[in-house]
Amino acid sequence: MSIQLGVVMDPIESIKVYKDSTFAMMLAAQRRGWDVWYMTIRDIYARDGRSRARMRRISVMDDHREWFRVHEEKEAPLGSMDVILMRKDPPFDMEYVYSTYFLEQAENEGALIINSPDALRDANEKLFATHFPQCCAPSLVSCCPDRLRAYRDEQGDIVVKPLDAMGGSSIFRLTRNDPNTSVILEQITEHGTRTVMAQRYIPEIEAGDKRILMVDGVAVPYALARIPAHGELRGNLAAGGRGEGIALSERDRWICDQVGPNLRERGIVFAGLDVIGDYLTEINITSPTCIRELDTLYGLDIGGQFLDAIEARLASGTHAR
């Protein structure tokens, strides 16, 4: 009997198939004969204490003109799936949190949820990196503009960013005597009511913000260095950066060794570490990307490696509560 794979994601009709990592995972699952059931966050609900969803069984094709077909639709318990991938992009708002509660109910019924609902709630992508201070540049997390301004004065050059965004949105660089400091801090903290992260500016960003993919705590041996456009601070591909493949350095591997065991323990089977120079800056666990780029550059099968990890967890039964 084939494995029943549920995939919670943004609307499939709007994805860019040539760079979508969730799509790469679905292609890999289809190659193994798994049944792929697609759903969005709006399709998930609970009735009488049991999580359910409107789900559609689809096939996927690596074709930018027609990349999926719907073959069957049903309303069914989430717990009827063997595996559910939670691949909804941020923002990480309360609707996202509610969906993790529904997924947790399915987990209690025996489904393997990736990444773990507990981890999705607890491991904020910015704050989680600070659990490994030996790997990170100096940082401050606060909602207080005065404290952030003092930290800017102490460090001389910082980057401030919200805790719940993605794709490089709302990231600012502040240097000493920047005349825009007050207005930027007022806006990004919403006048002291929204907590943000400040990190010491890392000049090596000019060489790229490296995305390192981790599969069940083990690093893919190559990273995608996302290099900022001229005059731009952010290397994110969504912000206009360009991607270049790069082999992991000794320091990169050390960072991965520091973080990997914790990821496995938390049930984080697929993660993306962001590294600038020698420093870990973020740990992305909601919907990390760059599978397709690295597969193309190096002839890898990261989706297949990911499914190997899923099959190992299913076989061991370690996911069952």
Side-chain angles (χ1 to χ4, degrees):
M1 186 173 179
S2 66
I3 290 175
Q4 303 300 300
L5 173 68
V7 183
V8 182
M9 59 186 290
D10 289 307
I12 192 170
E13 61 270 17
S14 64
I15 66 172
K16 295 180 173 61
V17 296
Y18 69 92
K19 67 174 186 176
D20 193 276
S21 290
T22 306
F23 188 72
M25 295 171 178
M26 291 191 290
L27 284 171
Q30 184 171 272
R31 286 194 293 269
R32 296 194 182 197
W34 295 15
D35 287 334
V36 179
W37 295 88
Y38 154 73
M39 59 199 96
T40 70
I41 200 169
R42 296 181 62 186
D43 293 320
I44 302 173
Y45 63 98
R47 179 168 179 172
D48 299 327
R50 194 174 191 194
S51 297
R52 300 176 62 85
R54 169 179 172 257
M55 53 185 75
R56 283 134 286 176
R57 184 171 62 84
I58 64 171
S59 58
V60 287
M61 299 78 70
D62 200 359
D63 184 336
H64 71 277
R65 294 163 298 184
E66 181 188 14
W67 55 91
F68 75 100
R69 292 176 188 156
V70 176
H71 301 284
E72 178 184 353
E73 181 176 320
K74 66 180 180 179
E75 303 265 341
L78 284 176
S80 66
M81 296 287 103
D82 296 305
V83 186
I84 300 175
L85 307 184
M86 179 47 162
R87 292 286 302 175
K88 169 73 175 66
D89 283 343
F92 191 89
D93 53 16
M94 285 309 301
E95 288 301 315
Y96 194 109
V97 172
Y98 298 149
S99 71
T100 68
Y101 296 143
F102 299 148
L103 291 169
E104 193 168 53
Q105 289 177 333
E107 186 178 51
N108 290 334
E109 294 180 11
L112 171 60
I113 313 298
I114 297 174
N115 288 313
S116 160
D118 290 346
L120 290 171
R121 288 194 299 269
D122 296 343
N124 174 273
E125 301 188 334
K126 311 295 192 297
L127 291 177
F128 188 25
T130 66
H131 289 213
F132 308 93
Q134 71 275 24
C135 302
C136 299
S139 65
L140 171 73
V141 181
S142 175
C143 65
C144 176
D146 289 342
R147 185 172 289 112
L148 291 162
R149 185 181 294 103
Y151 189 71
R152 187 277 318 263
D153 293 341
E154 174 192 316
Q155 296 294 326
D157 196 348
I158 64 171
V159 170
V160 291
K161 54 189 175 181
L163 299 179
D164 58 353
M166 65 168 287
S169 62
S170 301
I171 293 179
F172 296 93
R173 179 182 178 186
L174 294 175
T175 56
R176 283 197 187 101
N177 302 318
D178 188 324
N180 297 307
T181 295
S182 293
V183 67
I184 288 173
L185 293 179
E186 287 171 5
Q187 289 187 356
I188 198 170
T189 67
E190 297 179 2
H191 295 275
T193 64
R194 182 190 191 195
T195 301
V196 301
M197 172 175 278
Q199 291 175 322
R200 187 175 70 193
Y201 175 71
I202 306 169
E204 288 83 357
I205 183 60
E206 294 181 3
D209 178 358
K210 289 175 282 188
R211 165 60 56 85
I212 303 173
L213 296 180
M214 303 285 286
V215 179
D216 212 11
V218 177
V220 172
Y222 301 95
L224 192 73
R226 298 164 297 176
I227 301 171
H230 180 70
E232 174 62 75
L233 167 66
R234 303 162 299 172
N236 308 72
L237 301 183
R242 75 180 197 289
E244 289 188 3
I246 185 172
L248 299 192
S249 68
E250 184 176 341
R251 170 72 177 186
D252 295 335
R253 292 181 181 277
W254 178 80
I255 290 173
C256 295
D257 289 342
Q258 298 293 302
V259 176
N262 192 293
L263 297 178
R264 275 195 303 274
E265 184 177 327
R266 288 175 177 263
I268 301 172
V269 181
F270 191 71
L273 309 189
D274 289 349
V275 175
I276 301 175
D278 288 337
Y279 299 107
L280 174 68
T281 59
E282 294 184 18
I283 302 175
N284 294 273
I285 69 167
T286 51
S287 55
T289 61
C290 297
I291 286 181
R292 304 220 75 185
E293 293 89 342
L294 289 171
D295 278 356
T296 299
L297 286 168
Y298 296 106
L300 304 175
D301 180 16
I302 299 171
Q305 183 182 345
F306 175 57
L307 297 190
D308 288 342
I310 291 175
E311 289 179 341
R313 286 193 173 238
L314 288 174
S316 69
T318 54
H319 66 286
R321 293 204 170 199

